[in-house]
Amino acid sequence: MKTPAFNPITGAIRALAMDAVQQANSGHPGMPMGMAEIAEVVWRQNLRHNPANPLWANRDRFVLSNGHGSMLHYALLHLSGYDLPIDELKKFRQLGSKTPGHPEVHYTPGIETTTGPLGQGLTNAVGFALAEKLLAGNFNRPGHEVVDHHTYVFLGDGCLMEGVSHEAASLAGTWGLGKLIAYYDDNGISIDGEVEGWFTDDTKKRFEAYGWQVIGQIDGHDAAALAAATAEAKADTQRPTLVICRTTIGAGSPNKAGTADSHGAPLGAAEIALVREAIGWAHAPFDIPADVYAAWDAKVAGAKAEAEWNDKFAAYAKAHPELAAEFTRRLAGELPTGFQAAAAALIEKVQIKAETIATRKASQNAIEALAPALPELLGGSADLAGSNLTHWSGSKELAAGSGADATGVNYINYGVREFAEFAIANGIALHGGYLPYTATFLVFSDYCRSAIRMAALMKIRQVMVFTHDSIGVGEDGPTHQPVEHTASLRLIPNLDVWRPADTTETAVAWTHGLQRADGPTVLALTRQNLPFTARSAEQIEQIRCGGYVLSPASGTEKAVLIATGSEVGVALAAQKQLAEQGIGVRVVSMPCTRLFDLQPASYKCAVLGSGLPRVAIEAGVTDGWYKYVGLDGAVVGMDTFGESGPGAALFKHFGFTPEKVIGVVKSLLGIKLD
């Protein structure tokens, strides 16, 4: 590998990276300095984008999966003309700046996804490329290719070490995502030093086995080799491409290049002075010459590319007006006009049928009712469709292979890849044009928790279907019985976690999740049947508040029972028996604690009452319920793992029975037990 031919074009990237990190006294200068030539070839010679309109529909997508090197991304956005002035780069990693420590979508113009947890950026990029393929299959017509763009992703050793990269890359090869091009920064260094002590994979063979085109190893500092590799990658439309680029981390630093010292810490003032001399950069920190700005400026080319596409789309709209209107609506993230009517019809039908069924089946019924009115709905499951009940009568699955017909595809078989499933769905949602729903068993939410967290952090609209929600799973035993998972997911900010009690609450949860535009929704659903409970129109509306009075007390009210999911039926049975003994209790159903917490204090007080002892009932860990019952209340729950056995026997064994609830209520009231 030859020494980089330092020039002002790439010198600007190196200078901005090392100066911003130095000023912040925090960050990762080595990767931006090492990938400067790769970035120049991709961004100046290949990336089709418009800095004046970061959300242009047919722009190429760019993802920095090795997001710790965020100053590379910020430098590229600034230099190419995005609304990211130099003062924002001077505020790198500072509170309130548009240049946070890792790239964050919605904060910085031009950032497509939030990266930092390694491997997930690559996985999001697979989602971007899949969305492009499906949209092209559904909207392009002969002579009118309005969906035609690439997804470029930079990644490093850490991304490839994370297991999710295997899951995602395997699927990308299976799906033949020919417009996905990844550049592997093969610099051999991570935080702990030279990776050869813990990362000896044959990456080339690994990706070839996935069905990727693999180019290189090439010199990652040779612009001509990089340009040729990119042209070769774009020429293969049948396979995703990995370009393996051998680089020197911190390239340009006389004493720290090629070492871990340049990875995650400022270079230091003395070394930066040496870098300036080594790369021929005789400018003060954050001072970029006008000719360098002119060389990087992408506004004119970007405006031209978008204008050409606008003309193409106008011709498309003339030839196919309904398709054009649908495409525009879906890219804007607006629900179709018929959705509200479909949602109302679903809830009305549920009331009429009054079925006693599992909430996983109620979920499938909701999909069946809503999907025809929502063509952007894109489902999927991790090899559990028959158990998660995520198929509906109109499901059309994506077939393997690059040449597979994508027309009408609305269902993805992810295989046993829970983490990739949810992270790919994040990319699909961010790309636009689709509203994804995903599925697996609730106990396996552990596998995909980081992707769930990222969806909540990025405010992504995704409905996450988790079935087999408690010890009601039964004979599969404690490995498959999620006693702590619902409570754990409730701890994630901005995540709506629903545990519905019957068909009505399931229908409301689904419609609310699809309408929610500022974050994801989890549905924790039963395997076993749950009884239907009749409600007034007002109560149905109150379900959206997350908690409501399902059944008022009969006679003088002495206590309040709060329950979710399958335990609502237990609470109602206990209420009936207590009433027969002259003890009036109110039953509150609380299917979504986060939404309840967001309600005004007056509403919450009206639902929970005041001055009355409260008992929470849920087949799961107890800690989270004390915020509602207080220290003088009680929780009927379980703080152990489950057991193998029939579900009904387990509920009795662990005390989720009316009798147990009655005993707890009487104890709180000081009533002697029989």
Side-chain angles (χ1 to χ4, degrees):
M1 182 173 63
K2 65 183 181 182
T3 301
F6 297 119
N7 62 68
I9 305 301
T10 54
I13 294 175
R14 291 186 166 95
L16 287 172
M18 67 182 183
D19 288 339
V21 170
Q22 184 68 26
Q23 179 152 305
N25 195 30
S26 175
H28 299 72
M31 185 278 272
M33 297 173 72
M35 293 195 76
E37 284 76 24
I38 303 171
E40 189 272 331
V41 168
V42 171
W43 276 68
R44 289 187 68 239
Q45 301 179 32
N46 290 279
L47 191 70
R48 187 172 53 174
H49 62 125
N50 184 6
N53 183 11
L55 299 180
W56 167 36
N58 201 45
R59 68 193 181 278
D60 289 336
R61 270 57 170 184
F62 174 78
V63 177
L64 190 74
S65 189
N66 42 354
H68 54 272
S70 59
M71 263 310 303
L72 174 64
H73 208 163
Y74 300 142
L76 293 167
L77 292 169
H78 170 73
L79 292 169
S80 58
Y82 283 80
D83 184 18
L84 192 66
I86 195 69
D87 283 347
E88 290 294 339
L89 274 65
K90 293 178 181 178
K91 295 188 291 185
F92 177 56
R93 290 192 165 215
Q94 303 307 300
L95 184 64
S97 78
K98 292 183 179 180
T99 52
H102 290 81
E104 293 189 34
V105 70
H106 310 312
Y107 281 80
T108 312
I111 300 294
E112 302 284 1
T113 180
T114 300
T115 56
L118 294 176
Q120 286 196 65
L122 169 62
T123 312
N124 293 164
V126 172
F128 283 120
L130 177 60
E132 191 275 344
K133 175 175 180 170
L134 297 182
L135 282 173
N138 281 281
F139 285 97
N140 287 352
R141 293 296 182 269
H144 297 281
E145 292 191 351
V146 294
V147 182
D148 180 18
H149 53 267
H150 285 83
T151 298
Y152 297 92
V153 56
F154 289 180
L155 56 95
D157 293 302
C159 294
L160 295 182
M161 283 187 259
E162 288 287 358
V164 71
S165 70
H166 159 74
E167 298 180 24
S170 173
L171 285 168
T174 297
W175 294 333
L177 300 181
K179 291 182 179 177
L180 173 64
I181 303 175
Y183 297 81
Y184 166 32
D185 178 31
D186 182 13
N187 61 42
I189 297 292
S190 65
I191 291 176
D192 283 347
E194 296 181 5
V195 301
E196 62 185 13
W198 50 85
F199 184 53
T200 59
D201 299 10
D202 189 326
T203 299
K204 182 178 178 67
K205 289 182 180 178
R206 171 184 166 188
F207 275 77
E208 286 175 342
Y210 294 142
W212 288 53
Q213 173 184 217
V214 181
I215 300 173
Q217 196 183 77
I218 66 170
D219 185 344
H221 301 299
D222 184 335
L226 289 163
T230 302
E232 185 179 351
K234 294 169 77 172
D236 189 337
T237 61
Q238 305 301 304
R239 298 176 294 173
T241 297
L242 179 72
V243 184
I244 302 177
C245 307
R246 186 63 180 172
T247 66
T248 299
I249 192 170
S253 173
N255 297 308
K256 297 187 178 183
T259 73
D261 290 341
S262 68
H263 188 289
L267 297 180
E271 186 68 14
I272 286 175
L274 295 176
V275 174
R276 278 183 155 73
E277 182 179 350
I279 68 174
W281 189 260
H283 308 288
F286 304 105
D287 181 12
I288 307 296
D291 60 333
V292 174
Y293 275 126
W296 273 103
D297 195 342
K299 293 193 293 294
V300 173
K304 180 182 178 182
E306 182 175 359
E308 291 173 350
W309 182 83
N310 287 339
D311 291 342
K312 182 182 291 188
F313 191 78
Y316 174 73
K318 186 175 181 179
H320 305 283
E322 292 184 359
L323 281 174
E326 176 69 1
F327 180 83
T328 300
R329 177 192 69 78
R330 285 171 59 166
L331 265 291
E334 300 171 354
L335 296 180
T337 54
F339 177 78
Q340 292 287 3
L346 166 64
I347 293 173
E348 181 180 1
K349 183 178 180 180
V350 164
Q351 304 313 300
I352 294 171
K353 296 188 75 172
E355 292 179 294
T356 293
I357 56 176
T359 51
R360 64 170 174 166
K361 179 61 180 176
S363 169
Q364 185 179 47
N365 292 345
I367 298 170
E368 188 73 43
L370 298 173
L374 201 61
E376 60 263 50
L377 197 62
L378 181 64
S381 179
D383 199 46
L384 289 169
S387 292
N388 298 148
L389 301 186
T390 44
H391 274 137
W392 62 288
S393 61
S395 292
K396 181 180 178 181
E397 299 177 353
L398 176 65
S402 58
D405 182 12
T407 305
V409 166
N410 59 16
Y411 196 87
I412 309 296
N413 291 310
Y414 289 97
V416 188
R417 301 180 182 91
E418 296 90 352
F419 193 176
E421 174 189 7
F422 284 71
I424 287 171
N426 286 345
I428 291 169
L430 288 165
H431 178 281
Y434 287 100
L435 199 170
Y437 68 93
T438 46
T440 186
F441 288 170
L442 179 57
V443 76
F444 299 142
S445 63
D446 283 339
Y447 284 138
C448 44
R449 184 180 179 88
S450 185
I452 299 169
R453 181 179 186 271
M454 293 304 294
L457 179 70
M458 293 190 281
K459 302 179 180 179
I460 289 173
R461 178 156 51 184
Q462 181 187 158
V463 177
M464 304 169 177
V465 177
F466 291 111
T467 66
H468 297 59
D469 73 329
S470 72
I471 56 173
V473 171
E475 291 85 350
D476 280 339
T479 62
H480 283 54
Q481 293 168 5
V483 296
E484 78 275 27
H485 296 73
T486 301
S488 176
L489 290 170
R490 288 179 182 137
L491 295 175
I492 298 177
N494 196 43
L495 180 66
D496 282 352
V497 180
W498 288 81
R499 190 165 181 256
D502 65 356
T503 55
T504 302
E505 290 188 359
T506 305
V508 172
W510 254 108
T511 57
H512 190 277
L514 292 172
Q515 290 171 316
R516 186 185 181 203
D518 63 350
T521 297
V522 161
L523 307 180
L525 307 171
T526 66
R527 173 186 173 183
Q528 73 274 24
N529 291 342
L530 301 183
F532 173 84
T533 301
R535 294 170 181 81
S536 67
E538 181 182 16
Q539 286 176 314
I540 293 173
E541 284 299 311
Q542 289 175 340
I543 294 172
R544 294 178 178 271
C545 297
Y548 62 103
V549 179
L550 175 61
S551 181
S554 175
T556 303
E557 191 172 55
K558 298 293 184 64
V560 179
L561 305 182
I562 309 166
T564 75
S566 51
E567 289 71 71
V568 170
V570 175
L572 290 171
Q575 179 193 45
K576 181 179 179 181
Q577 293 183 37
L578 284 166
E580 292 170 353
Q581 300 175 40
I583 303 171
V585 298
R586 169 192 318 193
V587 173
V588 171
S589 178
M590 194 178 290
C592 183
T593 58
R594 177 180 176 272
L595 287 177
F596 183 75
D597 291 345
L598 293 175
Q599 301 309 309
S602 57
Y603 178 82
K604 290 186 283 188
C605 184
V607 170
L608 296 179
S610 59
L612 296 173
R614 301 170 186 169
V615 179
I617 312 156
E618 185 173 63
V621 295
T622 61
D623 281 1
W625 285 106
Y626 286 99
K627 66 187 289 188
Y628 302 107
V629 303
L631 295 179
D632 56 347
V635 181
V636 177
M638 57 186 299
D639 293 308
T640 66
F641 292 112
E643 297 285 352
S644 294
L650 294 176
F651 274 101
K652 183 176 181 180
H653 174 76
F654 286 104
F656 298 104
T657 64
E659 293 73 24
K660 174 64 178 290
V661 174
I662 290 169
V664 171
V665 170
K666 288 184 174 180
S667 178
L668 289 177
L669 295 175
I671 299 173
K672 186 177 180 180
L673 302 179
D674 296 333

